[in-house]
Amino acid sequence: MTSFEHSTSRRNVLTALAAAATAGAPVLGQLAAATPASAAPPSSTTLPDPIEYPSNTALYQDTDLVEGTSYSRRYRRHQQFDLKMSQKYDFPRTAILALHGGGIEIGTSELCLGIAGYSPGSAPGAGMGDPAGDPILPTVHDYFMFEGLLSNGNTALHVTSKNCDDHVALSIAASHLNVLSLHGCKFEQLNLPTATYPPTGDLAVAVVGGLNAAFRSALVTEINNAGFQAVDAYDPRYSATLGEFNGSHVKNPCNRTMLAMGAQLELTTELRKSLFGDPSSRDGRAETWYKSGGKFERFRDACRRAIATVEAGQVIL
């Protein structure tokens, strides 16, 4: 999804953006409200629009940001070997991405780890739940996460998916048949026809996009069957308002696969929060992903079943 980034004074705009994201009000209005009266520009002056980082490269080069403190990058690629001349071996077909993880679009990091087969934090019987340690599920997938670590204002670390140029993220996408990319949005941004949708009045919705129609279909089916609400962004009933969320851009990493197509999920705030006992902080989510009454596991496993369905139809040459 498209977010806002800092402009001329990065720290001031970071703070204003955080306030705007919290209040859900237009960012420019929040910026104006956050400006002290004594510092207000003349009435003839127009405030510039907040400028988003044009790429990951630009973000990484920002000396105001420190990797490991302001943001982090984590990934895992699983080693596999084919050393026998008379046999062929499979290779990882699907990778999971969370390009706006941590505090940017909350819950996407934890889901990325979960769908990849790892614990997002601690869990009974999972030791310390170190994502770099052993998997907790029998089948694992490669993954990449970019995470915002700021105490507030993490939306300023958002880089629009089509502008992602992180070499690891793109190399992972390019070396897999499939990518499932996880994102967050607000229900009101979707502009769904609320008179008929959501039919239950529940604002916890997953919008399924990407250019791989078979993958989208499997995700919609499995997520709905698991008791959640999922809509295909290309469904004629909703496509007119979901263009921004349909993952159609060819430079979106979800589509920069070996097949030039993949899938993405835009998950509303209500859905993401429902997957944790305490969604309010990074530590809270890590410690309570298994305390959501089974919702995290059901959503995770629905995505994993959809992946298995798609992979089953992909013969490795």
Side-chain angles (χ1 to χ4, degrees), residues 31-43:
L31 285 173
T35 303
S38 60
S43 58

Side-chain angles (χ1 to χ4, degrees), residues 13 62 81 91 100:
V13 177
D62 187 341
F81 301 91
F91 66 93
H100 310 134

Side-chain angles (χ1 to χ4, degrees), residues 115-155:
I115 297 170
Y118 292 86
S119 169
S122 62
M128 293 302 294
D130 181 0
D134 294 333
I136 61 172
L137 296 174
T139 302
V140 294
H141 302 285
D142 293 351
Y143 63 80
F144 171 90
M145 298 179 292
F146 175 88
E147 301 175 281
L149 303 180
L150 298 173
S151 58
N152 57 66
N154 280 286
T155 52

Side-chain angles (χ1 to χ4, degrees), residues 128-208:
M128 293 302 294
D130 181 0
D134 294 333
I136 61 172
L137 296 174
T139 302
V140 294
H141 302 285
D142 293 351
Y143 63 80
F144 171 90
M145 298 179 292
F146 175 88
E147 301 175 281
L149 303 180
L150 298 173
S151 58
N152 57 66
N154 280 286
T155 52
L157 302 177
H158 184 284
V159 175
T160 301
S161 295
K162 65 183 177 64
N163 293 334
C164 175
D165 65 349
D166 184 286
H167 290 170
V168 176
L170 296 185
S171 69
I172 287 177
S175 61
H176 288 75
L177 293 175
N178 315 299
V179 159
L180 176 59
S181 189
L182 306 171
H183 300 268
C185 64
K186 296 180 180 179
F187 179 82
E188 56 266 29
Q189 292 177 300
L190 303 176
N191 292 316
L192 288 167
T194 53
T196 57
Y197 196 92
T200 63
D202 183 2
L203 304 186
V205 181
V207 174
V208 185

Side-chain angles (χ1 to χ4, degrees), residues 97 99 161-162 164 169-170 173 179 181 251-257:
L97 304 182
L99 302 178
S161 295
K162 65 183 177 64
C164 175
L170 296 185
V179 159
S181 189
K251 289 189 176 180
N252 185 323
C254 81
N255 296 319
R256 299 183 71 167
T257 67

